[in-house]
Amino acid sequence: MVGAVLAQLDLQFFLMVLAGSTAGLLVGAIPGLSVTMATAILVSITYGWPMKTALALIMGVYVSGVFGGAVSAILINIPGAPSSIATTLDGFPMAQKGEASKALWAATSQSFVGTLIGLLILALVAKPMTRIALAFTPTDYFLLAVFGLTTVGSLTSKSFTKGLISAVFGVLVSMVGIDPIMGTPRFTFGSTQLMGGIGLVAALIGLFGFAEVLTQIGQRNLTPISATAGRMKVDFRETFKHFPLSFRASIIGTFIGALPGVGGPVASLLAYDHARKTVKKPSRPFGEGAVEGIVASESANNACIGGALIPMLTLAIPGDAVTAVILSAFYVHGLRPGPLLFTETPDLFYTILAAGFVGAFVMLLLGIVFSPLLCKVVLVPKRILLPVVGVLCVIGSYAVNASMFDVLVMLIFGLLGFAMRERGYAVAPMVLGIVLGPLMDSNFRRAVSLASSGDNMLVSMFAHPITLVLLALIVISVLSGIPAVTRLFNRKEATGKRATAN
């Protein structure tokens, strides 16, 4: 396999990956410009190109684009992509403490690690993982979404109850639009513009970006985000130190990526929750600038790349929006992904692997080269930076659908995010609810519809091994998120340690 991958490499291949990676970094770092959008444009541009050249360019955009979302998340508290939501929780606090360079290096190195692990898993266990993903029933997808919502305790360090309220409100927001099962309007209040639902990107930019602008203006603090950006230090020892966590997060990311329709936001948030529960001595408390939070989030969302490619290549089922566009590129070039891909056109599988691995190394190089320049953003006085960020919020929300309505949605969610922060409600759980709401809604109703035809609805819905495992995980996650239960276990652990010491 190694020889087949290396056989794909030549100068033109490297240059295409480099061009794609540079474009992906820029697209990912600018709020409102998505990797999916860039990939769709590339499919039309590369229509007449050889498939190998087209895949090199597209995979370069894919790999670096996912990482690029961390740049704006760390520097200006706006996730460049939904999969970078968890990165803002500790990345921006690190930038405020003068550690922007350290945060960007952590994001760069761990995105590199996550990409490599995801692609290695793709190369080694593509078919077995696809069989597991296909074993998921609608009930399992619903429970997976519920399990994701139980992580709200990890997204807010102050109040589990307020985090849960925020998440539930996000689920309600996700219900706006056309009912996916019945095809009837819900919560649109007669507005045709709400028929398509609330745009995730517009809500994301408003809740994080515009709300941050309003918060800074309200504090009347026009000094730079930080007095220092910190010195860029390429520290591979730090990367190896966090490798056990990044490996576990990458496994989570790859597995979630292999589940069609779930994707990077869920993977990064579940990995962040895992880090918060398993890392005993973080560099700082999570949510206040713990580098472990960036490690988990960025490893997981880049590992999703390899995971999302698994069902696309083996079954022609896209794992996320980007792989759906890549799948269309295959069809445009007259190719048929699926079980026969490995026997009829195996070179394409090795081309994707080669482009992904080269893209990971190019992404690492670009991060090292450009991070010192990007870090200067935190040194810009806020009287200059805040208007620029405000304009980016407007442009980013407008760019998705070329709609002024999305700009209005962004402004409304910006005001809502500002009010939530003032009242102590975290906005990240709300975004999690918006992301997971459609997954919960459609799959729960499908599960009920399928189970209602059986003799026993409860047995039909829940009597499956994967379902029982997910139910157990939900119970454990809920109990661990309740402060009273956490305090009880902490007291027992402290008592046990004292008894051992005596």
Side-chain angles (χ1 to χ4, degrees):
M1 180 179 289
V2 175
V5 171
L6 293 176
Q8 307 299 316
L9 305 181
D10 55 44
L11 180 59
Q12 184 185 30
F13 191 84
F14 274 107
L15 292 176
M16 286 295 104
V17 175
L18 176 61
S21 298
T22 305
L25 179 60
L26 293 174
V27 168
I30 299 174
L33 299 183
S34 68
V35 181
T36 307
M37 183 192 309
T39 309
I41 293 172
L42 286 178
V43 169
S44 62
I45 293 174
T46 60
Y47 173 75
W49 294 17
M51 191 62 192
K52 177 180 175 180
T53 306
L55 283 177
L57 190 66
I58 291 171
M59 286 298 295
V61 170
Y62 192 8
V63 171
S64 285
V66 175
F67 155 68
V71 175
S72 56
I74 291 169
L75 298 179
I76 56 178
N77 201 31
I78 304 178
S83 59
S84 299
I85 295 168
T87 305
T88 63
L89 302 177
D90 290 288
F92 188 64
M94 286 184 70
Q96 290 176 308
K97 292 178 171 64
E99 298 178 344
S101 290
K102 182 178 179 180
L104 280 177
W105 167 245
T108 303
S109 59
Q110 298 305 326
S111 294
F112 171 74
V113 171
T115 303
L116 291 186
I117 292 176
L119 291 172
L120 284 172
I121 294 174
L122 167 66
L124 298 174
V125 296
K127 293 183 179 179
M129 281 202 66
T130 300
R131 285 196 291 269
I132 295 173
L134 285 176
F136 269 60
T137 65
T139 303
D140 298 330
Y141 278 105
F142 166 72
L143 292 176
L144 182 66
V146 173
F147 177 60
L149 281 183
T150 63
T151 65
V152 294
S154 296
L155 304 182
T156 171
S157 57
K158 295 180 180 179
S159 171
F160 178 78
T161 304
K162 288 184 175 180
L164 190 60
I165 292 172
S166 178
V168 170
F169 186 68
V171 173
L172 291 175
V173 169
S174 74
M175 300 294 175
V176 175
I178 298 294
D179 186 312
I181 305 296
M182 304 300 295
T184 56
R186 295 186 303 187
F187 306 121
T188 58
F189 306 102
S191 170
T192 55
Q193 290 176 310
L194 286 174
M195 292 286 191
I198 301 295
L200 173 61
V201 174
L204 191 69
I205 293 173
L207 287 170
F208 283 94
F210 197 66
E212 181 67 28
V213 172
L214 295 177
T215 300
Q216 297 294 337
I217 292 174
Q219 293 174 351
R220 300 182 183 277
N221 179 11
L222 298 180
T223 58
I225 293 173
S226 174
T228 175
R231 186 170 62 86
M232 183 66 182
K233 183 180 179 182
V234 178
D235 190 352
F236 285 104
R237 286 181 302 177
E238 183 78 7
T239 303
F240 286 117
K241 173 186 172 183
H242 296 297
F243 182 76
L245 173 60
S246 58
F247 180 78
R248 297 195 303 271
S250 298
I251 296 297
I252 293 172
T254 307
F255 179 72
I256 296 299
L259 300 176
V262 183
V266 178
S268 62
L269 289 166
L270 289 179
Y272 185 87
D273 176 67
H274 168 76
R276 186 158 184 160
K277 290 176 179 176
T278 58
V279 177
K280 300 300 182 183
K281 294 181 181 180
S283 55
R284 286 195 188 95
F286 281 92
E288 299 178 18
V291 71
E292 291 82 2
I294 299 177
V295 169
S297 172
E298 289 303 308
S299 298
N301 61 28
N302 268 75
C304 256
I305 294 171
L309 288 168
I310 290 172
M312 189 211 80
L313 291 172
T314 58
L315 297 168
I317 299 173
D320 61 6
V322 180
T323 50
V325 177
I326 297 175
L327 183 64
S328 70
F330 274 71
Y331 290 132
V332 164
H333 286 268
L335 302 168
R336 298 290 177 186
L340 297 179
L341 175 73
F342 296 91
T343 56
E344 293 181 351
T345 52
D347 284 351
L348 290 178
F349 178 67
Y350 299 124
T351 298
I352 288 179
L353 284 178
F357 284 122
V358 173
F361 283 95
V362 172
M363 175 191 67
L364 180 66
L365 177 63
L366 292 176
I368 293 172
V369 171
F370 289 112
S371 287
L373 301 175
L374 296 171
C375 285
K376 296 185 184 298
V377 169
V378 299
L379 307 178
V380 177
K382 289 179 184 175
R383 66 178 182 274
I384 299 172
L385 182 62
L386 292 181
V388 173
V389 173
V391 171
L392 282 176
C393 289
V394 173
I395 294 174
S397 54
Y398 179 80
V400 180
N401 297 309
S403 169
M404 287 302 298
F405 180 73
D406 283 342
V407 177
L408 177 62
V409 169
M410 182 274 294
L411 294 174
I412 292 173
F413 274 86
L415 291 170
L416 177 62
F418 172 71
M420 289 174 67
R421 293 185 186 197
E422 292 295 305
R423 296 291 181 179
Y425 288 85
V427 297
M430 182 177 175
V431 176
L432 181 61
I434 296 173
V435 171
L436 293 178
L439 190 67
M440 293 177 61
D441 177 33
S442 59
N443 283 290
F444 176 74
R445 294 164 71 184
R446 288 192 189 102
V448 171
S449 177
L450 291 170
S452 60
S453 60
D455 296 331
N456 189 314
M457 180 180 289
L458 290 179
V459 172
S460 298
M461 286 185 67
F462 298 107
H464 303 282
I466 295 176
T467 307
L468 294 174
V469 170
L470 288 171
L471 282 171
L473 290 174
I474 290 169
V475 171
I476 294 170
S477 184
V478 169
L479 291 176
S480 65
I482 298 174
V485 176
T486 304
R487 287 195 295 269
L488 177 63
F489 275 96
N490 287 339
R491 281 201 298 269
K492 287 184 177 181
E493 185 177 349
T495 304
K497 286 182 178 179
R498 285 197 297 269
T500 304
N502 293 332

